[in-house]
Amino acid sequence: MKINLFEDFPKHSKEDWMVHIIRDLKGKDYEKTLTSLTEDGIKIEPIYTKQDGQGLDVLDYYHNRVHQASSILGLPPRIWSNVSAFEGPDEKTTNAEILDALLNGADALMLQLTGDENLEVLLKEVNPKYIEIFLSSKGDPVKVLQMFVKWINDNNWETNSIRGGLLWEGFGSVLTQGIGKETITETAIALMQLGEDLPRFRVFSIGAATYHDSGASLVQELGYAFSSWIDLIEVMVDQGFYPQEIIQKSMLRTCVGGDFFLEIAKVKAARIMMHKIIKLYQIDIPAEDLFIFAQTSLWTKTKLDIETNMVRNTTEAMAAILGGANAMYVLPHDIASGNSTSLANRMARNVSNILKEESYLDKILDPVAGTYYVENLIVEILQKVKTFMESIENNGGWWSCFESEFIQNSVKASRNRKMEEILEKKRTKIGVNKYLSQKKSIFNSGEFPMEESWQLLPFRDSMSVENQKSQNP
């Protein structure tokens, strides 16, 4: 017999709760004391009840649609890949590091390549059938993918077993590299042709991470990323490709920041937004078939009190997993120092393992499905991103906004505002402007990257404080 323990408790409306809240405030203003606005104007209430669930039924379809159910018996309901990143000209040494990571919890690799590496040495004894491989190009993405495809063919690996993708952002790549629209189009065509025989390997990345790590707001991050993807689809259609071909070869790459519940909602909203865009092309792809590559945020990391970055990494990874990420890359907590240690890399790899083996996040497929707070945030995010994307379209589309530097200027304005808030202590950042570490730190001056007006380069929100301390230790 099923027992409903909630029957023992009297039901209370939101109005009942509000009476108690107002009483406990003892005359303080409710709006000023308990509500807040995000930088995108999303209002955060102190309490959400069933009455706030009205209108959330539009999300019902997306409950538990995080990934396809595994065909392997005995696996938990929630599965995500634990990604470890590698680069370096010494293939033999890097190969030893790769094998060590795969033997100690990693089940996906992110290889940062130029296209000149010897993959026979770099990936010696690595069987791609059992892992996912993501490629990040440090130069020509076509050259990198050609090298990878040659390695697959030379070793007679089954092409249907190759999973992962190329982390190339299409039009978004012009924000860091001085390349033109024609070059991007030619690159996209070449990548499509190279990836044709790899049905489970994606060659396009919807690059939300670029905007996040440059200081964009949540709505800017998703709005600009999806708008650039739409522009890429349209250009490829003009080149004779079908929209479905491009969509099936695309994945979303996003960073997850420090606002825990808002970031959970962002990742879930990203999957929904991608699915809704696909439906506009009259294409029926289940939401659980979409792939999200998430990584912890470089923007939130600091050189001050580096150990605190471990806590940031953990909460960011947890938000990504609860939001439905399919691959999780945790940055080394000392990445801001510019020279990560083997200990930091091991600890980063272990974050996913701990969340899985000790926090049991793999035991429930979608634990935040139906939560009034998070789902209200999702609906708000979807509406604001939709409105933002419409404004981009009204201004001529993503490429036009890039050429006029509207995108760059708006993201830089958001970045500067947030960095100034931390510098002036209007926003608290532990270990940076509050609860400072007593350890002495040495900083190099000239912290800020040299950024052209057309560029969006990675920044960190604590850079202004770090730069100030380097000049006035």
Side-chain angles (χ1 to χ4, degrees), residues 171 181 223-224 227-228 230-231 389-404 406-407:
F171 285 141
K181 192 172 186 179
Y224 286 138
S227 292
S228 69
I230 291 172
D231 270 19
M389 291 176 67
E390 288 171 349
S391 70
I392 295 171
E393 193 64 28
N394 292 335
N395 282 286
W398 186 93
W399 188 265
S400 177
C401 290
F402 162 74
E403 288 187 316
S404 68
F406 174 82
I407 293 172

Side-chain angles (χ1 to χ4, degrees), residues 83-97:
V83 182
S84 284
F86 300 92
E87 64 175 328
D90 187 343
E91 289 99 338
K92 189 173 181 180
T93 300
T94 305
N95 172 255
E97 295 171 352

Side-chain angles (χ1 to χ4, degrees), residues 29 34 66 77 173 180 219 250 253 327 339 349 421 430 432:
D29 185 270
L34 296 180
V66 178
S173 59
V219 170
S250 299
R253 182 186 187 183
N339 187 23
R349 183 176 68 240
E421 287 174 351
I430 303 300
V432 175

Side-chain angles (χ1 to χ4, degrees), residues 46 70-71 114 143 146 150 152 164 179 191 202 246 256 299 313 350 354 370 393 395 420 430-431 451 466:
S70 175
S71 59
T114 63
K143 186 178 179 181
Q146 283 174 336
K150 184 178 184 300
I152 293 169
I179 51 180
L191 294 176
R202 296 165 172 87
I246 312 303
V256 178
W299 169 253
N313 265 345
N350 284 342
I354 291 171
E393 193 64 28
N395 282 286
E420 187 176 337
I430 303 300
E451 186 181 50
E466 294 169 7

Side-chain angles (χ1 to χ4, degrees), residues 228-244:
S228 69
W229 185 50
I230 291 172
D231 270 19
L232 180 66
I233 293 173
E234 297 302 319
V235 166
M236 294 298 283
V237 168
D238 290 341
Q239 296 296 320
F241 291 91
Y242 292 105
Q244 185 161 354

Side-chain angles (χ1 to χ4, degrees), residues 145 148-149 152-153 158-160 162 194-203 249:
L145 189 55
F148 183 65
V149 170
I152 293 169
N153 294 332
E158 294 181 12
T159 54
N160 283 334
I162 305 299
L194 284 168
E196 189 175 5
D197 295 328
L198 302 174
R200 302 173 72 187
F201 190 88
R202 296 165 172 87
V203 297
K249 284 294 187 180

Side-chain angles (χ1 to χ4, degrees), residues 140-143 145-146 166 168 184 186-196 203-204 249:
D140 181 2
V142 175
K143 186 178 179 181
L145 189 55
Q146 283 174 336
L166 178 68
W168 182 71
I184 293 175
E186 292 169 359
T187 299
I189 293 171
L191 294 176
M192 279 294 294
Q193 293 168 344
L194 284 168
E196 189 175 5
V203 297
F204 301 130
K249 284 294 187 180

